[in-house]
Amino acid sequence: MKIISILNNYSEYPGLRNCNISEHSGEEFYHVVLNKEFKDSFEKSETVQINLDGTGGYASSFLDEAFGNLVYDFSLENVKKYVEIISEEEPHWKEMIETQTFKEWERRRLEKESPKVTIKHAPWFRMIDKTIQEKVWELPAVV
């Protein structure tokens, strides 16, 4: 089992949803940490445990963006099979992710509503037709 602690592997002070409005955003956490760690665990058929405890707190948008992108790129079925979320301090975050975020982002995935990115990211992993591919899947919208 792989263990990711947001406190130890990312930031004590997670920010908001997107990179263009916040440092340490959910978008950044997903692209810098979670996408690759999940891909590696998936390939090894091992669970990745994500510990939410110990940080200065969360905005719901941080968690929605980070875990929602994971569902979008790998499907709800695979995320449920290989992700274990831990939160002893604030169990309502775990419940929100599992009962709201997962369902909403699976709907978006099935309806091909592309996730929003606010900066150009390095290539990341996504499952397409049961194979994992790596590329830049989305570009920031030009305003």
Side-chain angles (χ1 to χ4, degrees):
M1 175 185 297
K2 179 176 288 188
I3 299 173
I4 297 173
S5 161
I6 294 181
L7 172 66
N8 296 326
N9 300 108
Y10 187 61
S11 174
E12 181 177 357
Y13 299 102
L16 301 175
R17 180 178 300 277
N18 294 114
C19 297
N20 66 337
I21 58 172
S22 170
E23 291 185 350
H24 309 295
S25 69
E27 178 186 353
E28 181 186 72
F29 171 70
Y30 180 70
H31 286 276
V32 173
V33 178
L34 189 55
N35 178 267
K36 183 180 182 321
E37 295 295 336
F38 180 83
K39 177 257 190 194
D40 292 346
S41 291
F42 179 82
E43 288 177 335
K44 295 174 187 170
S45 296
E46 71 177 12
T47 300
V48 58
Q49 184 183 79
I50 304 162
N51 188 332
L52 305 180
D53 290 340
T55 69
Y58 292 96
S60 60
S61 64
F62 173 94
L63 298 170
D64 184 68
E65 190 70 18
F67 290 96
N69 271 295
L70 188 64
V71 168
Y72 192 91
D73 285 342
F74 293 98
S75 83
L76 180 58
E77 177 184 0
N78 288 320
V79 170
K80 280 185 164 182
K81 187 172 183 180
Y82 294 107
V83 169
E84 179 184 1
I85 299 168
I86 302 293
S87 181
E88 299 294 327
E89 295 174 356
E90 299 187 77
H92 65 281
W93 289 130
K94 175 183 169 157
E95 183 179 339
M96 181 204 80
I97 293 164
E98 293 176 348
T99 62
Q100 297 174 30
T101 298
F102 282 179
K103 288 180 184 175
E104 173 62 20
W105 283 74
E106 177 69 357
R107 183 197 60 77
R108 291 183 193 181
R109 187 183 73 79
L110 294 173
E111 295 179 3
K112 301 188 184 329
E113 289 179 24
S114 299
K116 178 182 173 184
V117 295
T118 62
I119 64 169
K120 185 174 181 183
H121 295 283
W124 70 95
F125 300 100
R126 181 175 285 174
M127 181 168 288
I128 303 292
D129 297 328
K130 299 186 179 189
T131 61
I132 294 177
Q133 300 174 29
E134 181 182 24
K135 72 176 198 178
V136 174
W137 297 94
E138 318 291 339
L139 292 172
V142 177
V143 179

